[in-house]
Amino acid sequence: MLTRSLRLINTSSKLVRNYSTSFWSNVQKGPEDPILGVSIAFNKDTSPSKINLGVGAYRDENGKPYVLECVKKADKKIFEAGVDHEYAPIVGLASFNSLSVALALGEDCKAIKDKKIAVIQTLSGTGALRVAAEFLARFYPGKTAYVPNPTWGNHNTIFADSGVAVKSYAYYNPQNCGLNFDGMYNDINAAPNGSIILLHACAHNPTGVDPSIAQWKKISQLCKDKQHFVLFDFAYQGFASGSPEKDAEPVRLFVADGHQIGLCQSFAKNFGLYGQRIGAFSLITGTPEEALAVESQLKILVRPMYSNPPIFGARVVSTILSNKELTEQWRTEVKGMADRIIGMRESLVKYLKQHGSTKDWSHITNQIGMFCYTGLTPEQVDRLASEFHIYLTRNGRISIAGINSKNVEYLAKAIHAVTK
Ligand SMILES: Cc1ncc(COP(=O)(O)O)c(C=O)c1O
């Protein structure tokens, strides 16, 4: 059919293109996502001892995806309520929006009470970042966004695709697998006044390295002095320490210091709602009128992008966070996930020592969240795959969620073998 119509166009309008040439013959195959590449190699491997440490999704003790009990109960409630499937408003579900902002900023947050926050439901954390970047391109033009080096790879492309120039600030210190605080401070200080500074609120991806509260205070003061606009990426609330409040401390500190922050939330990890694409973008403004104006412009941005967000994930989160019992259960379950990850970090270090490694592995337990920057070289990573069937990205990042009590000793032995 396509060939036939192309041939007709060709004869009647004397186009140079031959009927057998496709419209898309000049499209070159792009590179695979590096994390996807890890999963492809893992899936091909037939060894029973294989381990996938690439994927950034929580796995239980049996290496299986985990559906939270509170989510199952919320599913049931939603089903039993016999809800319809009408469109959500452009800004999403109102109850979800207010509950999600309250979860991040605290119920007693003054900006919430003063109605100075514009909030919009988004397609998970990625969608929140994309809406944020599009909004900044339109209403904060000519500014550069500074992201940590390294950062979650999508940050660079989200800003670039939205037309926001992007540079990086120092973050990771490979010497001690910890934070290069001086480098970070100096780079943020050297950025032109009014720059966009993207900060990972907790559980920095890919390094697992977070500033201490004392360091956060210094960064907050610096960003104030420099009149920088701070955009928090908050993809792991509760998932890092096990306490949603503790993980929110940096964000709340900046708000208490008077920053008009932008906030990108994801409910993928902490509620296990990866595929439901549920998140939120909010912006603290100066007055209730400003908040309404910002909201109206967010709607104008979203309408031609995806019109309005999917509703199910918002209903699940909203059902849980508006019900005391389900909220308690969520807190217990998110703590369970965080604790399992913290426990696996400790186990890995214990077995590394037990099998004779004399290297300093303290960064494995000092780092926090789903990921650990092990310090393994690309060559050591290649050996883990070829000799031990263990798969991770070549930057040495492992997803601790892929470790469990059945494979941790094998992993420790393998890491020791390639690092001694
Ligand atoms: C730092 C960071 N930000 C944002 C996201 C967004 O994830 P999602 O779009 O699934 O919510 C992720 C996911 O891995 C992440 O690690």
Side-chain angles (χ1 to χ4, degrees):
M1 188 66 192
L2 179 67
T3 314
R4 189 176 136 76
S5 58
L6 280 174
R7 196 199 310 253
L8 285 176
I9 292 165
N10 206 22
T11 46
S12 63
S13 63
K14 295 195 176 60
L15 284 178
V16 183
R17 184 170 4 98
N18 184 294
Y19 75 89
S20 60
T21 328
S22 159
F23 284 109
W24 316 118
S25 54
N26 62 339
V27 177
Q28 304 290 311
K29 188 175 183 304
E32 291 286 10
D33 185 285
I35 296 167
L36 208 76
V38 172
S39 289
I40 292 171
F42 171 81
N43 289 337
K44 274 194 199 147
D45 192 325
T46 53
S47 164
S49 358
K50 67 178 180 175
I51 310 178
N52 186 353
L53 301 177
V55 70
Y58 184 78
R59 295 289 175 259
D60 67 11
E61 254 298 294
N62 299 309
K64 297 277 180 268
Y66 172 55
V67 183
L68 277 69
E69 287 304 317
C70 61
V71 168
K72 286 185 194 161
K73 286 186 188 166
D75 281 359
K76 193 160 173 275
K77 272 180 182 284
I78 294 164
F79 178 74
E80 284 170 359
V83 290
D84 59 40
H85 299 285
E86 294 299 291
Y87 288 125
I90 300 176
V91 293
L93 203 67
S95 58
F96 163 79
N97 287 349
S98 42
L99 288 161
S100 72
V101 170
L103 182 69
L105 303 185
E107 277 171 16
D108 53 355
C109 170
K110 195 162 176 327
I112 298 181
K113 287 188 181 142
D114 293 348
K115 299 191 185 322
K116 288 184 187 167
I117 306 185
V119 51
I120 183 160
Q121 183 191 328
T122 56
L123 277 71
S124 213
T126 307
L129 286 156
R130 185 61 192 248
V131 169
E134 295 284 346
F135 183 85
L136 290 168
R138 198 169 281 188
F139 294 100
Y140 201 58
K143 300 292 184 185
T144 297
Y146 288 77
V147 300
N149 179 23
T151 192
W152 182 53
N154 229 359
H155 285 149
N156 292 293
T157 28
I158 286 171
F159 282 120
D161 284 4
S162 308
V164 178
V166 54
K167 289 188 178 163
S168 64
Y169 58 84
Y171 192 80
Y172 181 68
N173 178 357
Q175 261 77 52
N176 61 5
C177 302
L179 183 68
N180 174 3
F181 181 72
D182 291 345
M184 177 185 188
Y185 190 94
N186 293 339
D187 284 355
I188 293 176
N189 192 28
N193 281 13
S195 295
I196 300 160
I197 308 293
L198 180 123
L199 298 168
H200 295 228
C202 68
H204 181 273
N205 178 7
T207 67
V209 173
D210 288 344
S212 66
I213 283 296
Q215 290 167 329
W216 277 122
K217 284 186 181 154
K218 289 186 183 156
I219 299 165
S220 171
Q221 186 57 51
L222 173 65
C223 288
K224 255 189 120 172
D225 295 344
K226 296 281 305 178
Q227 294 158 17
H228 288 324
F229 169 73
V230 173
L231 181 63
F232 272 106
D233 182 355
F234 203 7
Y236 296 93
Q237 186 174 7
F239 208 88
S241 68
S243 156
E245 281 67 42
K246 187 165 180 358
D247 290 351
E249 269 179 32
V251 175
R252 295 182 188 181
L253 171 86
F254 273 64
V255 175
D257 282 352
H259 288 277
Q260 289 190 339
I261 63 160
L263 178 68
C264 299
Q265 288 174 267
S266 166
F267 294 85
K269 325 280 170 164
N270 52 4
F271 280 71
L273 289 170
Y274 304 90
Q276 295 300 343
R277 311 311 293 144
I278 178 67
F281 171 57
S282 39
L283 203 51
I284 298 189
T285 69
T287 62
E289 294 72 33
E290 251 182 54
L292 286 174
V294 167
E295 187 194 275
S296 73
Q297 292 296 343
L298 288 170
K299 289 201 287 201
I300 289 167
L301 263 180
V302 161
R303 178 71 174 139
M305 266 208 271
Y306 55 87
S307 196
N308 49 70
I311 206 153
F312 187 70
R315 281 181 173 149
V316 172
V317 173
S318 177
T319 303
I320 294 170
L321 292 180
S322 59
N323 177 303
K324 212 164 168 270
E325 207 179 298
L326 288 181
T327 303
E328 273 319 302
Q329 185 163 14
W330 170 68
R331 285 175 179 278
T332 309
E333 293 189 272
V334 79
K335 183 166 181 340
M337 291 192 282
D339 285 351
R340 196 185 87 69
I341 284 178
I342 292 165
M344 281 304 125
R345 288 178 181 275
E346 287 161 2
S347 255
L348 181 58
V349 174
K350 181 187 84 182
Y351 283 119
L352 276 162
K353 285 187 186 153
Q354 224 171 72
H355 286 281
S357 180
T358 51
K359 285 187 173 300
D360 179 7
W361 295 106
S362 57
H363 57 280
I364 295 182
T365 43
N366 290 341
Q367 295 172 4
I368 194 159
M370 181 121 65
F371 300 109
C372 170
Y373 234 39
T374 55
L376 292 169
T377 63
E379 294 70 34
Q380 290 165 341
V381 170
D382 292 345
R383 277 191 66 197
L384 282 177
S386 59
E387 295 173 34
F388 298 95
H389 313 277
I390 295 169
Y391 295 89
L392 52 141
T393 42
R394 293 187 88 229
N395 59 7
R397 184 193 85 161
I398 60 177
S399 171
I400 304 282
I403 312 177
N404 54 56
S405 55
K406 296 177 198 90
N407 64 20
V408 61
E409 187 170 3
Y410 175 73
L411 172 66
K413 274 201 246 177
I415 293 181
H416 177 44
V418 301
T419 55
K420 65 183 169 196

